Amino acid sequence: MMSPTALVRSLFVALCAAVLAFAPAQAQQGFTVTTTVSWTWEDAAEGADDTDDGAAIDEDAALLDDEALADDADMTATRRYAPSATLATLGRARAHYGPFAVIDAVTVRMAGDVTSATPRQFAAMLAAYPGLKRLEMVDCPGSLDEEANLILARAIRRAGLETVVPSGGSVRSGAVELWLAGITRRAASDAEFGVHSWADDTGREANDYAASDPVHAEYLSYYREMGMDDAKARAFYALTNSTPFDDVRYLTRDDMARFVTLH
C-alpha cells in the first residue's frame, strides 16, 4: 500500500501536471483570440483611414480642381464677360424652340449652340410666330454642326429678320455668320464678336488647305451672299483664319463695320 505521504506527493505531482498541461492551451487560445481580434480591428481601422483620408478623397479633389481649371480655360477662350442677369434669363418668354425664346410678337432672343436640330426648331418657331422681325443674339457660342449653321443663316435671311447683339451680348465662332445673315444688323457699342479658323472632322484647319482648294469657296460665297464685296469677303475670311481653331480673336462693333453695313 502507498503511504499517506507518498499518496499526497503523487496527487500533488498529478495536479501540477494537469495545471501545466491545461495552462498553455488556455494561454494559446487566449492569445489567438486576442491576436485575431486585435489584428482584425487594426486592419479595419487602417482601411477606414485609407478611405477617408487617402487616395480616394485626394483623387476627387484633384478631379474637381481639373474641372474648375478646364472651365476657367474654356471661359477665357470663349468670352471676356458674362451677360447680365437680365440677358441670361432671356426675359419672360412666350415659347422656347431650342436656343430661341420668343419674347413677343416681333422679338425672339437666342442663347446657346446651333445643333443639327436648330434649323427645324427655327422653322417651327416661324410657323407659330410668323410676325417675328427681330433676332436678339444674347450669348451665342457657335455651332456644333457647320452645315446646319449655314442652313439656319440662310433661313434667317429669307425670313427678313433684323439681327441684333444687345449690350453685354456676345456672338462667337459660327454665330457670327448668323448675325451677318440679318437683313439689317445692329450691335451695341460693347457687343463682342469672337472669330477663329474653322476645322474639319480630321482636325485640319483652313490654313492647312491650299489657297486654291474648293473648300474655301463655300465660305467666300456665303460672305458675298450676305452683302460683302469680293475684297471684303476675302479680307474677313483671312482675318478669321488668322486665329487657330482652339483660340479666339475678339472684334468690336467698329471692327465688324469695316466689312458690313450696320444700322
Side-chain angles (χ1 to χ4, degrees):
M1 291 183 60
M2 184 178 296
S3 66
T5 301
L7 178 59
V8 171
R9 186 182 296 114
S10 297
L11 291 173
F12 179 79
V13 171
L15 178 60
C16 288
V19 171
L20 291 173
F22 180 76
Q26 288 291 75
Q28 179 66 28
Q29 182 180 1
F31 175 79
T32 302
V33 172
T34 302
T35 302
T36 302
V37 172
S38 175
W39 179 85
T40 302
W41 181 84
E42 289 174 0
D43 181 67
E46 290 173 2
D49 289 343
D50 288 344
T51 301
D52 294 340
D53 302 322
I57 287 184
D58 289 344
E59 182 180 0
D60 290 343
L63 288 174
L64 289 174
D65 289 343
D66 289 346
E67 289 174 359
L69 289 173
D71 289 343
D72 288 345
D74 287 344
M75 290 299 289
T76 300
T78 55
R79 66 174 305 118
R80 293 173 294 184
Y81 52 83
S84 68
T86 301
L87 291 177
T89 60
L90 293 182
R92 294 181 177 273
R94 293 185 179 183
H96 291 273
Y97 296 83
F100 302 107
V102 178
I103 304 304
D104 55 40
V106 297
T107 305
V108 56
R109 289 181 181 156
M110 181 179 183
D113 291 306
V114 173
T115 70
S116 59
T118 308
R120 294 193 301 274
Q121 294 163 340
F122 181 79
M125 179 182 68
L126 286 183
Y129 296 91
L132 291 173
K133 298 297 182 184
R134 175 184 173 93
L135 174 60
E136 294 184 354
M137 304 181 72
V138 176
D139 187 13
C140 304
S143 171
L144 303 179
D145 185 325
E146 187 64 14
E147 182 179 1
N149 195 64
L150 291 177
I151 290 172
L152 175 62
R154 290 184 168 98
I156 290 171
R157 174 56 65 97
R158 287 196 303 272
L161 295 184
E162 174 187 50
T163 52
V164 180
V165 184
S167 181
S170 174
V171 295
R172 308 179 297 281
S173 190
V176 175
E177 272 72 45
L178 301 182
W179 177 79
L180 290 173
I183 198 71
T184 58
R185 311 174 192 90
R186 299 182 188 275
S189 59
D190 64 343
E192 70 174 16
F193 299 83
V195 299
H196 60 179
S197 172
W198 55 264
D200 63 21
D201 54 8
T202 68
R204 297 179 69 193
E205 301 187 13
N207 291 329
D208 294 324
Y209 288 83
S212 58
D213 196 293
V215 69
H216 303 297
E218 182 174 11
Y219 292 92
L220 293 171
S221 175
Y222 174 77
Y223 296 140
R224 289 192 292 265
E225 187 180 336
M226 295 303 127
M228 295 184 191
D229 61 29
D230 187 65
K232 288 182 178 179
R234 291 182 180 278
F236 184 72
Y237 187 57
L239 175 64
T240 63
N241 293 330
S242 66
T243 300
F245 176 77
D246 290 332
D247 202 351
V248 62
R249 176 173 181 172
Y250 288 103
L251 305 176
T252 66
R253 180 189 189 280
D254 290 341
D255 291 327
M256 297 304 298
R258 293 167 45 205
F259 301 99
V260 292
T261 301
L262 278 73
H263 297 82

